[in-house]
Amino acid sequence: MQILLTLRSSNEIMMAQKDLLKAGIRISIIGMPRDISHECGVAIAFSDADLERVRTVIGEHVYGNAEFFRHGENCYEKIHGESHGA
């Protein structure tokens, strides 16, 4: 199953992309799905098997308002309690 990571800006997405790839995590940059309202127009997609590794990498860096979403039946649903940053 696919998980999405959203951040405040495309600049933060690019920084996170670099950090996640450096950690050996397979990711994709995708356009922000319509059912996720967020300031940035792109998100990082990755396998749910890598969720803990992504949390660790994101937690080691200063990213504003990192949020995680899982695809539900008809929309993406926020993974509650997993927000990082300000």
Side-chain angles (χ1 to χ4, degrees):
M1 185 175 287
Q2 186 179 58
I3 304 289
L4 296 185
L5 165 64
T6 64
L7 295 165
R8 244 188 293 211
S9 70
S10 56
N11 187 45
E12 286 185 345
I13 289 287
M14 292 185 332
M15 290 187 311
Q17 176 186 22
K18 179 181 172 186
D19 293 335
L20 292 168
L21 290 173
K22 188 175 180 179
I25 301 170
R26 177 179 268 173
I27 62 167
S28 297
I29 304 298
I30 65 167
M32 186 70 68
R34 289 184 181 183
D35 50 338
I36 298 176
S37 176
H38 209 271
E39 297 171 8
C40 178
V42 293
I44 294 176
F46 58 93
S47 169
D48 62 344
D50 291 322
L51 180 57
E52 291 305 318
R53 289 177 60 208
V54 170
R55 285 182 186 150
T56 299
V57 171
I58 295 302
E60 291 172 352
H61 298 85
V62 179
Y63 295 109
N65 221 17
E67 294 182 318
F68 295 92
F69 294 83
R70 177 176 281 122
H71 195 271
E73 286 192 34
N74 296 317
C75 64
Y76 282 90
E77 301 168 350
K78 184 176 178 182
I79 300 174
H80 294 285
E82 301 306 333
S83 180
H84 296 273

